[in-house]
Amino acid sequence: MAKGIYVSATTPGSGKSLVALGLADTLHRHADRIGFFKPLVHGADGSGDPMVALMKSRFDLSDDQCRGGMTFTEARGLLAEGKRADIDARCVEIFAEISRHCDIVIVEGTDLTGQDSAMEFELNARLANNLSIPVLAVVGAKGRTIAEAANAVEVARKELIAERCSLLAVMVNRADPEIVAELVAEVKPGASGRPVYVLPELDEIARPTIGEVANALHIRQVAGRQDMERDVRSIKVAAMNVANFLHVLDDGALVIAPGDRADVMVACLASSFSPEFPVPSGLILTGGLAPEANMYSLLAQAPFPVFTAPHDTYTTAREVSEVRSEIWSGHRRKVASALGLWANRVDEDELLERLQIPRPERMTPLRFLHELIERARSQRKHIVLPEGRDLRILRAAEILRRRDVCDLTVLGRESEVRELAAGAGVDLTGITIVDPMTSVHRQEFAKEYAQLRAHKGVDLTKALETMQDESYFGTMMVHLGVVDGMVSGAAHTTAHTIRPSLEFIKTRPGVKIVSSVFLMLMPDRVLVYGDCAVNPEPNVEQLADIALASAETAEQFGVDPRVAMLSYSTGGSGAGSAVDQVREATALVRQRRPDLAVEGPIQYDAAVDAAIAESKMPGSTVAGQASVFIFPDLNTGNNTYKAVQQSSGAVAVGPVLQGLNRPVNDLSRGCTVEDIVNTVAITAIQAQAVG
């Protein structure tokens, strides 16, 4: 049977779902197969439980690996009949079924919010014992003083020990940020020696989204943008005249007003379209009053959602104020904040050492992408994003900041960037915005550029003009060490992104060309394809350069490089100039890196299939087990990576540029927010290697 961990609340409102999510993220990176089990769920069956749904989608878990148990109604019925043992037996049975498909299972107990919290506590402790798994106790510190929170920790310890539970660790969650340091000193591990971690309350997690408010109040959207992830930073009831109301309106406010207040509607719209005024997160029109018909065409243009509510303004405002944010809502920004908090406050190595879970044998795409974030975070770097007028860039920047991956600078006119962000509900707190036109660095950068390009006739006047270009300005930030790397290309061509790097960042010593690889995330491993994006027809030396750089990139990202120099011929079976070029390049790679496992020329099938390799190239250390594939030209490489991506379902991450003195990476103009997040993480990892 798989090992498991029982996440148990010891106080109401502890925020244990955040702990379960953080724990799952940690375990997913260190075990081949994780599972999730929630013994008691609300609703008709476990399939509709929001936490079960979040875990399934977030970690790509099957129904066999992630499920709920019985409903609270069923459990209460059995308790009323004195059949407590039936509850235990059913939960043990489901846990055993999940365990057959997992290496470790996270069990999330009840919330202690029912009528008898003492009974729920005893039920959680009993289930943990019957499942023979340790307890990760979660103590809620919201609204508690240092002494009260410390006392709650001690009570939880004593009660769990009294129930004969094995205590793994204690999480003190939702603590006032101002008392965290003192609370950490107060809640020592104690005689048990079990660690205690303190997680502060984060406003960006605690604040409900407009979608959570709409769901809780069952209100209908009638106009505006379909954007339910906007945070509700405050609640404003528009009971005063418009002039006074605008003085108290702020960014992210949820405005509540009667449905016949056309003046308030127009004021909210006007405010959202003006860069000097705040943008509300949403507008609720109360009293069941429909706006006048001619107002709907205006409200349709609102950059925030507009709802109608049947109750009066006071009742609606009270209901909104009672809405709680839940991590299981699955909003990616909220999840990003939760995982960033977990990573900063919890010693994962300590927890993993206590659990002693088996090492993972497979590298799944999801695990690889999660590890990218953790590796980027491990040694903090500073990345510049030149395309501040692209909303995808701003959304990605917010996710990266919430997950605390790296420091970020976004380029663009600050008023334009902030207006775009506010209109889309993007929070740029903690992100530096620099306008190349007004930056204090512009003169310094222009002088440097003029000096570096003087042989091309560039003077200071021309250099000042060039530094107005965000790509050149961002690249100069990298060159002079103001930042550690750059990611661009969402709104610019590859040539526009790379050209400044070629002009003055230059290639590393011994490297003649800039090339690229795609990290191909297969179901159980990571392959490296190069060059699929930059060099159309590399010659022998360039092909060798690409192979050597690709092997280094593979090592950077945890792939043991076994290099296949691809051709239409394997070994000495074929002839021709194209085959000879690959053969010569292979010899050059061996000469420059005698320690590197490399084979070529070799066909793709012989490089990946052990049976074919045995017949075509027996005894090779690369054939049948290659991890780095070097294509003879761009046409072959680009078509192959896309064919593999589309036919096998592999995730292609890249292109990752290599060979430069400092990391600069290019995005596809069709990139998603997730693509940008991953590329920034890759760039930060590359910057770690530079130093």
Side-chain angles (χ1 to χ4, degrees):
M1 183 177 291
K3 291 182 178 181
I5 304 172
Y6 201 105
V7 180
S8 179
T10 61
T11 59
S14 64
K16 65 175 173 50
S17 292
L18 182 152
V19 172
L21 177 67
L23 182 62
D25 186 71
T26 295
L27 295 178
H28 185 268
R29 286 180 276 109
H30 294 87
D32 274 323
R33 304 171 303 164
I34 69 166
F36 180 76
F37 174 41
K38 195 167 182 182
L40 297 183
V41 296
H42 293 283
D45 58 57
S47 63
D49 184 87
M51 195 62 188
V52 172
L54 173 61
M55 289 295 194
K56 276 185 179 178
S57 63
R58 178 78 191 173
F59 301 104
D60 194 25
L61 304 181
S62 67
D63 291 341
D64 291 330
Q65 297 171 304
C66 182
R67 57 183 291 194
M70 64 179 62
T71 67
F72 277 91
T73 302
E74 292 172 323
R76 290 191 186 100
L78 290 171
L79 286 173
E81 297 173 14
K83 297 180 178 179
R84 177 177 294 181
D86 288 2
I87 298 175
D88 297 1
R90 179 61 181 145
C91 290
V92 170
E93 178 185 355
I94 296 174
F95 180 80
E97 291 172 0
I98 296 174
S99 298
R100 283 195 285 271
H101 304 279
C102 303
D103 298 311
I104 190 161
V105 181
I106 299 162
V107 183
E108 183 182 341
T110 62
D111 298 311
L112 272 65
T113 55
Q115 296 178 345
D116 192 345
S117 60
M119 183 187 72
E120 286 190 44
F121 180 90
E122 188 270 336
L123 171 66
N124 288 326
R126 193 176 72 249
L127 285 178
N129 285 334
N130 284 326
L131 298 176
S132 299
I133 58 177
V135 172
L136 184 60
V138 187
V139 175
K142 185 175 177 62
R144 297 178 189 265
T145 63
I146 295 173
E148 290 169 341
N151 182 63
V153 170
E154 191 58 34
V155 169
R157 282 178 178 146
K158 289 180 178 178
E159 290 184 345
L160 288 168
I161 290 171
E163 295 289 344
R164 300 182 182 279
C165 292
S166 171
L167 182 62
L168 176 68
V170 178
M171 299 281 177
V172 182
N173 194 19
R174 307 187 70 189
D176 183 340
E178 294 184 1
I179 68 168
V180 166
E182 294 175 78
L183 187 53
V184 168
E186 188 70 23
V187 288
K188 306 269 174 60
S192 68
R194 297 300 183 259
V196 181
Y197 305 106
V198 180
L199 284 70
E201 176 92 303
L202 283 188
D203 285 342
E204 52 201 29
I205 296 176
R207 287 192 295 254
T209 63
I210 196 71
E212 288 174 318
V213 170
N215 289 335
L217 272 63
H218 305 291
I219 53 180
R220 181 172 61 93
Q221 183 175 359
V222 295
R225 180 180 291 175
Q226 290 276 350
D227 186 358
M228 297 300 152
E229 287 201 23
R230 289 170 172 266
D231 289 337
V232 175
R233 293 171 170 268
S234 62
I235 303 168
K236 301 294 183 183
V237 176
M240 56 184 71
N241 67 45
V242 166
N244 291 324
F245 169 68
L246 287 175
H247 282 297
V248 299
L249 183 63
D250 46 32
D251 273 323
L254 174 56
V255 178
I256 304 173
D260 59 358
R261 288 291 303 271
D263 56 338
V264 173
M265 301 175 210
V266 172
C268 289
L269 282 169
S271 178
S272 66
F273 291 130
S274 171
E276 288 79 25
F277 284 85
V279 180
S281 62
L283 174 63
I284 300 179
L285 305 175
T286 63
L289 300 172
E292 294 181 12
N294 59 3
M295 282 300 302
Y296 278 108
S297 59
L298 285 176
L299 293 175
Q301 309 303 315
F304 50 80
V306 180
F307 305 90
T308 59
H311 299 126
D312 60 63
T313 302
Y314 170 79
T315 303
T316 302
R318 179 176 54 78
E319 290 176 343
V320 170
S321 68
E322 294 171 354
V323 175
R324 284 183 54 196
S325 175
E326 299 290 354
I327 198 69
W328 43 249
S329 65
H331 293 304
R332 61 183 175 183
R333 295 189 301 165
K334 207 171 287 290
V335 169
S337 296
L339 295 179
L341 175 64
W342 172 274
N344 283 326
R345 303 300 309 182
V346 177
D347 187 338
E348 292 186 348
D349 292 338
E350 186 176 37
L351 277 181
L352 292 168
E353 185 178 351
R354 291 181 177 278
L355 291 169
Q356 297 182 327
I357 59 177
R359 288 178 61 86
E361 298 177 358
R362 301 179 302 128
M363 179 56 76
T364 65
L366 190 58
R367 177 177 296 120
F368 181 82
L369 294 175
H370 283 195
E371 285 193 358
L372 278 184
I373 298 298
E374 294 309 309
R375 288 190 59 193
R377 183 190 284 123
S378 68
Q379 185 182 335
R380 196 173 192 85
K381 293 298 178 181
H382 191 164
I383 307 300
V384 61
L385 304 172
E387 298 162 317
R389 289 186 292 274
D390 191 300
L391 186 55
R392 292 169 298 172
I393 292 291
L394 302 186
R395 292 192 187 281
E398 182 188 25
I399 295 292
L400 289 158
R401 194 270 306 167
R402 288 187 179 225
R403 291 207 65 175
D404 200 30
V405 175
C406 58
D407 295 322
L408 291 168
T409 291
V410 172
L411 301 186
R413 185 175 297 174
E414 184 164 4
S415 61
E416 291 181 2
V417 173
R418 293 202 179 280
E419 183 181 2
L420 178 61
V426 175
D427 182 5
L428 296 182
T429 302
I431 296 168
T432 303
I433 301 172
V434 173
D435 182 355
M437 295 286 290
T438 59
S439 169
V440 295
H441 292 296
R442 186 183 171 203
Q443 193 75 21
E444 172 196 356
F445 287 3
K447 286 181 180 178
E448 176 73 8
Y449 184 68
Q451 179 180 336
L452 292 172
R453 302 295 289 173
H455 66 288
K456 292 292 186 179
V458 176
D459 58 15
L460 184 58
T461 301
K462 176 63 176 175
L464 282 168
E465 181 182 341
T466 301
M467 284 303 123
Q468 295 177 28
D469 184 298
E470 288 93 344
S471 287
Y472 274 88
F473 189 92
T475 306
M476 188 60 76
M477 292 179 78
V478 178
H479 172 66
L480 293 178
V482 178
V483 297
D484 301 301
M486 182 179 88
V487 173
S488 187
H492 293 96
T493 64
T494 295
H496 192 75
T497 297
I498 298 177
R499 187 183 299 113
S501 302
L502 297 177
E503 287 186 9
F504 51 87
I505 285 185
K506 305 290 188 180
T507 56
R508 295 198 311 271
V511 177
K512 292 184 173 60
I513 61 168
V514 174
S515 60
S516 73
V517 295
F518 277 89
L519 303 174
M520 302 297 291
L521 312 187
M522 312 303 283
D524 60 349
R525 56 187 170 151
V526 178
L527 304 179
V528 178
Y529 283 10
D531 176 4
C532 305
V534 179
N535 297 286
E537 295 181 350
N539 60 32
V540 169
E541 286 197 356
Q542 290 172 335
L543 206 54
D545 253 8
I546 293 168
L548 292 167
S550 299
E552 287 183 22
T553 300
E555 289 175 314
Q556 273 188 311
F557 294 98
V559 177
D560 181 21
R562 293 184 297 277
V563 182
M565 306 291 286
L566 297 174
S567 175
Y568 60 79
S569 170
T570 294
S573 65
S577 59
V579 178
D580 291 341
Q581 180 169 295
V582 173
R583 186 176 288 114
E584 291 172 28
T586 304
L588 193 54
V589 171
R590 286 176 176 148
Q591 179 184 330
R592 292 168 62 180
R593 280 282 305 270
D595 61 308
L596 185 64
V598 59
E599 197 70 76
I602 186 171
Q603 292 162 289
Y604 193 97
D605 58 351
V608 297
D609 189 288
I612 296 174
E614 184 61 31
S615 65
K616 288 189 173 185
M617 194 168 274
S620 170
T621 59
V622 173
Q625 51 186 331
S627 59
V628 179
F629 300 80
I630 306 304
F631 296 94
D633 54 59
L634 183 59
N635 183 45
T636 307
N638 192 271
N639 278 296
T640 301
Y641 105 77
K642 288 180 178 176
V644 171
Q645 180 185 32
Q646 294 300 319
S647 60
S648 72
V651 178
V653 178
V656 179
L657 298 184
Q658 53 192 16
L660 289 166
N661 272 313
R662 291 179 177 271
V664 171
N665 275 308
D666 179 41
L667 295 164
S668 161
R669 276 172 284 177
C671 64
T672 65
V673 170
E674 289 73 20
D675 292 333
I676 299 167
V677 169
N678 293 335
T679 304
V680 170
I682 284 170
T683 308
I685 294 169
Q686 289 179 311
Q688 292 170 359
V690 173

